[in-house]
Amino acid sequence: MDQNYIAPASALKKLKKARNLSQTVYLYGATGYGKTELVRQYLSGRRYTYLSCEELPWEDGALPRSEPGRQNRRVVVIDDLHRLKSEKLRQEILALEEREDIWLILVSRSPLPAWLMPRHIKSVFVVVSEDDLRMGRDEITAYLDARGVVYTEEDILYLQNTAEGNAYVLHHVALRMKEGQSPGPELRTEIREAFASYLENVVLVCWDSDLLEFLMQVSVVDEFTLELAEMISGNLHVTALLEQAGEAGNFITQEDGTYRLRPVLIDALRNRALKLYGRERVKDFKYNAALYYEMHDEVVPALRLFEECGKTERIKNLLIRNARMNPGNGHYYELRRYYFNMDEREIEDSPVLMAGMSMLHSMLMDDEKSEYWYEKLKAFATNAKGGVRREALSRLAYLDIGLPHRGSRDVLEIIKNIPALLFDKGNRLPEFSVTSNLPSTMNGGKDFCHWSPDDTKLAKTVGPLVERVLGSYGKGLVKAALGESYYEKGEDNYEVMSLLTRAQVEAGQGGTMEIAFAAVGVRVRLALLQGDSPAVRELLASFEQSVRENRAVQLLPNIQALRCRLALYEGDMDMVERWMKTAPDEDREFCSLERYRYLTKVRCYLANGEYTKAQALLEKLRYYAEQTGRPYVRMETGLLSAITKERVGGPWQEELAIVLKEVERYRFLRLITEEGAAVWPLFQREKKALQEAGTLNKDWLRRLLAEAEEVARRYPLYLKKRAAVAADFKGVALTILRLQADGLSVNRIAQRLDLKPDNVKYHIKENYRKLNVDNKTDALLAARSLGLL
């Protein structure tokens, strides 16, 4: 290790604490984190016994003998403990740990092994983990200074984000920077390759052959379960090998049954596997993994691995299989490269592939190509016979209903004709999704706003037919749609809840999780509107558990987006920030299936004060809404656009008026009132003008304004930019905030703190300014969101 290594303060603090309390230290971290050098620096100038388990067997008497009555504790460091296999030596180390004349420091690459755990529970070791060993900003700058390296602020930020605090990596970075190279992707790749080579040639060769062989085989995938590992390797002792791997080093993690290796270790394992097995044998392991993914309907990784194996026929079969699923469950967008790479003659042989291509192009808003493949399928159906013809006709019916670019105006007439086309001739409609995994039926796979004015009538007359045509996807659909329509128009809350609850029950009795999610999504909105946040969290947690149990994982991204919207209402910007790291990147590619998450992201941009980004994304969504005939998305984007423009001082009144006029035509309320604190400032400025204009229904406008004001009062932090962080509140200012939370008046606070009332008022005013609020209630809500109360 480099002599200029700067030991992290947190690790040194723990070592000092352990020494003062005479506690055994267990220090661990992966290769390159400076474990041994940290101990050497801390013990510099002191006498100690150093033993490494890489240098077994030790000489007789290497472990110090007991010396009763000795006043000063002797320091014993045992390094590379992950290499220790001898049961006899383990017992000797346990005996050493019990001695009062010894201060023991154990150094390893792995977390606490099973054989040490009982003693740790009894004696309570001080554990110095890999996180403690990571070099932070201060250590990085001090290290570069010690090496005489010239750097910029951008260099330090880049190293903080990419080096993971690893001393080995930073050592190589410093060498290259002295040669004139700047930190960046090119240098990062070079160092990762060098690190992988070091692991391959120095670390891996020390492992037991059965463990190394197993890990080389499973390294063909980035993560694996026990079942997948068995499928790849054909080894029935996977559990034991993984336990062995856990004790060999801190390079494998496990969460919810999924194991992951460090990326740089995967590189090393793959390099070694190629040398040992050769390309063809490695392809065999990939093929095994691909078969596993195929059996478990994980199409994306299966296709990638089949492609790497050169199994073209398998690829075609999987693409057909994927195309049989609806866009909500299938992976059209993710697999578009594979579809586009197929020969057109291959596609023309399969009605399923032609229908899939028509749907894919429609999703990508390429109407011309979508209709091209629709006409190809139509011509194919004309000449086909028997089962192939029935398949083609069912696919055409499916496209007639489902193609996004065709809108939803003619869907009802199409559905009325389907029974004669399909059921009466022994055909069936392919898997169909009404929601596209969104928490809505009205604004899901299609936009059905125009059905809302006649919702009750349509539910009675057409509802049974729709449920029959859609099969399992129709169970609970009519009640979910009717409940959502009633909710949007602000009708009786009890009736709304009753319909949605029954819809969820019906969907659970042979229906789909998608319809259940649509019902749950509107129930969440209703509970939020009523100010019942605890009920929202409980409902979402329960439903998410059900989704995972039923493996309806396609719903999880939008469930997390719904959680993010809850966080926005509560002003929990930390949770919003975490969600934003997982949000889709609209600048990289715009995918219409992500519209719910995009609209959530717009709200996050507004809450963060990133108005240019919000407006840019809104324009993409507006274009999508216009191209596909989706009035709900058009109204929603128009409202959010008016809010954005008002915040930046642009012209917003006309856009708001247009949105209100269209929303009022449907008699919707909640599309507007749910925006509460975000839209209320606009209403405060335009309220009188709207009332005097007479262009909107007076009763509707009165209800709209009253409810929007109530929601704004209930959630004052919604989409408000957080102007402060917890560190901004200290000393007297923080004490005053907490005393306000306890209900004390200004005079009582002044007496308690021996201050003048005017001084207290000044601090209160400053607190309000920092929290971006103007009253006590909002200030306390904002303070709780920052964890101050």
Side-chain angles (χ1 to χ4, degrees):
M1 178 61 65
D2 190 344
Q3 297 298 307
N4 292 305
Y5 166 76
I6 306 295
S10 61
L12 290 171
K13 184 178 179 180
K14 283 191 173 183
L15 285 173
K16 184 177 180 180
K17 173 188 173 184
R19 184 173 180 82
N20 290 339
L21 297 175
S22 299
Q23 286 178 284
T24 295
V25 174
Y26 187 85
L27 189 153
Y28 76 92
T31 301
Y33 278 95
K35 302 179 291 295
T36 304
E37 182 62 20
L38 166 69
V39 173
R40 189 193 68 78
Q41 285 193 15
Y42 181 76
L43 297 176
S44 176
R46 304 172 190 173
R47 295 182 62 187
Y48 62 95
T49 300
Y50 176 86
L51 298 168
S52 171
C53 295
E54 294 225 341
E55 299 170 359
L56 293 171
W58 296 328
E59 296 179 2
D60 290 339
L63 292 173
R65 299 182 186 280
S66 177
E67 296 183 22
R70 182 183 175 94
Q71 296 299 312
N72 297 323
R73 286 176 175 264
R74 284 179 290 178
V75 181
V76 178
V77 178
I78 300 180
D79 204 347
D80 303 306
L81 198 67
H82 54 279
R83 298 286 297 158
L84 184 63
K85 307 295 182 185
S86 167
E87 185 61 32
K88 179 176 179 295
L89 278 178
R90 287 179 178 181
Q91 292 303 318
E92 290 184 20
I93 290 172
L94 289 172
L96 194 69
E97 193 278 332
E98 284 191 316
R99 286 169 47 180
E100 293 186 359
D101 63 323
I102 297 293
W103 182 42
L104 185 61
I105 300 176
L106 303 173
V107 183
S108 178
R109 285 183 186 151
S110 71
L112 270 161
W115 65 273
L116 267 178
M117 192 59 71
R119 184 57 55 82
H120 168 52
I121 294 171
K122 178 182 177 182
S123 303
V124 188
F125 299 167
V126 170
V127 177
V128 180
S129 70
E130 185 175 300
D131 286 340
D132 297 312
L133 298 172
R134 296 181 192 277
M135 294 172 68
R137 178 189 177 84
D138 292 343
E139 289 83 22
I140 293 172
T141 53
Y143 176 72
L144 294 179
D145 288 339
R147 295 297 304 266
V149 176
V150 178
Y151 55 85
T152 65
E153 181 65 23
E154 289 73 19
D155 293 337
I156 298 298
L157 288 173
Y158 184 83
L159 292 176
Q160 276 186 274
N161 293 328
T162 60
E164 298 181 349
N166 188 290
Y168 178 93
V169 171
L170 291 166
H171 169 70
H172 280 266
V173 169
L175 290 176
R176 291 291 181 268
M177 289 179 71
K178 289 206 76 170
E179 295 171 1
Q181 195 169 350
S182 297
E186 185 178 340
L187 179 55
R188 187 182 182 188
T189 300
E190 176 190 328
I191 292 173
R192 177 165 164 166
E193 289 174 355
F195 200 1
S197 178
Y198 170 78
L199 291 176
E200 180 189 349
N201 297 304
V202 177
V203 177
L204 301 190
V205 293
C206 297
W207 288 354
D208 293 343
S209 59
D210 57 343
L211 174 61
L212 178 57
E213 187 172 322
F214 166 71
L215 291 176
M216 283 192 295
Q217 292 166 2
V218 297
S219 72
V220 297
V221 295
D222 294 331
E223 58 185 39
F224 56 88
T225 60
L226 292 175
E227 188 181 1
L228 174 55
E230 288 180 358
M231 182 83 172
I232 294 172
S233 65
N235 195 315
L236 300 179
H237 305 289
V238 168
T239 301
L241 286 166
L242 287 171
E243 288 178 2
Q244 188 180 341
E247 293 185 0
N250 189 36
F251 57 79
I252 187 167
T253 60
Q254 187 267 128
E255 184 178 358
D256 297 329
T258 298
Y259 293 83
R260 295 176 180 85
L261 299 171
R262 290 177 184 262
V264 69
L265 179 66
I266 290 178
D267 293 345
L269 289 167
R270 288 174 179 173
N271 290 340
R272 193 161 187 83
L274 275 175
K275 295 171 185 175
L276 181 66
Y277 296 126
R279 292 191 180 278
E280 292 307 312
R281 183 80 194 284
V282 169
K283 283 183 180 180
D284 290 340
F285 299 128
K286 290 183 177 182
Y287 184 67
N288 291 344
L291 290 176
Y292 171 88
Y293 287 128
E294 183 180 14
M295 288 189 296
H296 288 77
D297 292 324
E298 296 183 53
V299 179
V300 178
L303 271 174
R304 177 179 58 79
L305 288 166
F306 279 138
E307 183 180 37
E308 291 176 9
C309 297
K311 305 292 184 180
T312 54
E313 191 58 34
R314 283 282 186 180
I315 292 174
K316 181 179 178 181
N317 290 339
L318 261 182
L319 289 174
I320 292 175
R321 181 173 166 182
N322 183 74
R324 290 189 181 280
M325 294 190 281
N326 68 67
N329 291 338
H331 302 275
Y332 292 75
Y333 186 77
E334 298 94 322
L335 302 180
R336 62 197 182 283
R337 176 175 67 84
Y338 296 99
Y339 283 111
F340 294 157
N341 284 342
M342 291 188 72
D343 188 279
E344 189 163 316
R345 287 169 296 183
E346 281 189 289
I347 300 172
E348 290 172 348
D349 289 338
S350 168
V352 175
L353 281 176
M354 284 187 280
M357 292 297 287
S358 180
M359 178 58 72
L360 176 57
H361 282 294
S362 183
M363 288 164 55
L364 295 171
M365 294 188 286
D366 189 343
D367 305 357
E368 187 177 338
K369 281 284 185 67
S370 177
E371 293 296 338
Y372 170 82
W373 282 111
Y374 178 89
E375 292 300 325
K376 284 274 189 181
L377 178 58
K378 190 174 180 180
F380 179 92
T382 302
N383 300 316
K385 296 180 180 180
V388 178
R389 175 177 168 80
R390 287 196 295 273
E391 176 80 77
L393 290 173
S394 68
R395 292 285 153 188
L396 285 169
Y398 161 74
L399 293 175
D400 286 336
I401 298 174
L403 283 176
H405 73 271
R406 290 188 180 181
S408 57
R409 284 287 174 184
D410 301 323
V411 167
L412 190 54
E413 290 304 314
I414 295 168
I415 289 177
K416 288 179 180 178
N417 293 326
I418 279 181
L421 177 66
L422 296 180
F423 305 127
D424 299 344
K425 296 183 180 180
N427 300 336
R428 65 183 180 86
L429 194 68
E431 180 182 294
F432 190 88
S433 172
V434 177
T435 71
S436 290
N437 299 328
L438 273 66
S440 171
T441 53
M442 180 179 294
N443 183 33
K446 290 276 190 172
D447 185 299
F448 292 108
C449 286
H450 62 282
W451 288 18
S452 186
D454 299 314
D455 48 18
T456 306
K457 178 182 176 182
L458 288 170
K460 291 179 180 179
T461 57
V462 187
L465 173 61
V466 171
E467 289 182 338
R468 182 189 173 205
V469 167
L470 297 181
S472 62
Y473 280 84
K475 289 185 178 292
L477 169 62
V478 173
K479 291 183 177 63
L482 193 58
E484 184 175 357
S485 182
Y486 285 179
Y487 169 79
E488 288 289 357
K489 292 184 288 189
E491 298 186 18
D492 182 68
N493 287 341
Y494 177 81
E495 180 66 15
V496 171
M497 180 58 70
S498 176
L499 284 165
L500 295 172
T501 304
R502 283 184 283 166
Q504 192 176 350
V505 171
E506 287 184 16
Q509 297 173 342
T512 67
M513 295 300 293
E514 291 184 32
I515 297 299
F517 183 37
V520 167
V522 182
R523 285 183 61 191
V524 164
R525 294 167 66 190
L526 178 59
L528 263 176
L529 201 74
Q530 295 174 323
D532 197 351
S533 296
V536 170
R537 283 190 287 273
E538 184 178 340
L539 176 60
L540 271 178
S542 176
F543 183 70
E544 182 174 345
Q545 182 179 352
S546 179
V547 163
R548 293 185 184 279
E549 289 171 355
N550 287 276
R551 296 186 177 181
V553 293
Q554 71 276 7
L555 299 177
L556 292 176
N558 284 332
I559 289 175
Q560 297 309 320
L562 187 52
R563 285 188 185 281
C564 179
R565 294 194 183 199
L566 171 61
L568 285 167
Y569 279 102
E570 296 179 331
D572 184 356
M573 294 306 295
D574 291 331
M575 192 277 180
V576 170
E577 185 178 341
R578 289 194 299 273
W579 181 83
M580 282 290 279
K581 292 177 181 178
T582 69
D585 184 354
E586 70 276 10
D587 291 324
R588 184 178 178 185
E589 287 179 307
F590 183 87
C591 175
S592 60
L593 285 177
E594 296 284 14
R595 56 190 175 276
Y596 184 76
R597 294 209 290 167
Y598 287 147
L599 284 161
T600 304
K601 197 172 182 182
V602 167
R603 291 169 168 86
C604 295
Y605 282 146
L606 288 174
N608 285 323
E610 297 178 277
Y611 303 126
T612 301
K613 289 182 179 179
Q615 197 63 52
L617 180 49
L618 283 168
E619 290 307 317
K620 292 180 180 181
L621 287 161
R622 196 197 305 269
Y623 176 77
Y624 158 75
E626 291 170 351
Q627 290 294 107
T628 55
R630 302 191 68 102
Y632 196 100
V633 175
R634 183 176 63 242
M635 292 183 288
E636 188 175 3
T637 55
L639 178 64
L640 293 172
S641 177
I643 292 169
T644 306
K645 290 176 180 177
E646 190 271 342
R647 292 190 177 189
V648 297
W652 55 271
Q653 289 88 344
E654 184 179 353
E655 188 157 23
L656 177 65
I658 292 171
V659 170
L660 290 176
K661 190 171 183 180
E662 185 171 12
V663 173
E664 187 262 346
R665 183 156 53 87
Y666 292 111
R667 289 295 187 269
F668 290 169
L669 283 175
R670 272 57 194 272
L671 187 152
I672 303 290
T673 60
E674 284 181 353
E675 299 309 315
V679 76
W680 185 242
L682 281 66
F683 285 150
Q684 286 180 305
R685 293 174 62 179
E686 282 294 288
K687 182 177 180 180
K688 186 176 180 181
L690 290 170
Q691 290 171 331
E692 292 177 351
T695 56
L696 300 172
N697 180 277
K698 289 184 179 180
D699 289 338
W700 176 85
L701 181 60
R702 176 183 52 77
R703 290 180 64 201
L704 180 83
L705 293 172
E707 189 168 278
E709 184 176 14
E710 177 61 27
V711 176
R713 188 181 299 113
R714 187 164 281 153
Y715 301 106
L717 304 180
Y718 179 64
L719 303 196
K720 277 199 173 183
K721 184 180 180 182
R722 186 165 72 181
V725 294
D728 294 333
F729 299 87
K730 298 176 182 177
V732 175
L734 180 57
T735 302
I736 288 173
L737 196 57
R738 288 173 175 169
L739 290 174
Q740 279 187 288
D742 290 338
L744 272 66
S745 66
V746 169
N747 289 333
R748 289 283 304 280
I749 294 172
Q751 291 172 4
R752 177 80 62 87
L753 300 180
D754 195 23
L755 295 172
K756 293 181 180 179
D758 285 345
N759 288 342
V760 174
K761 289 178 182 178
Y762 169 78
H763 283 296
I764 289 174
K765 184 178 179 182
E766 280 298 291
N767 284 343
Y768 289 1
R769 180 186 63 78
K770 292 176 184 176
L771 292 167
N772 193 25
V773 298
D774 53 18
N775 59 70
K776 175 182 173 181
T777 301
D778 293 359
L780 297 182
L781 281 169
R784 287 191 180 94
S785 77
L786 291 174
L788 295 171
L789 302 178

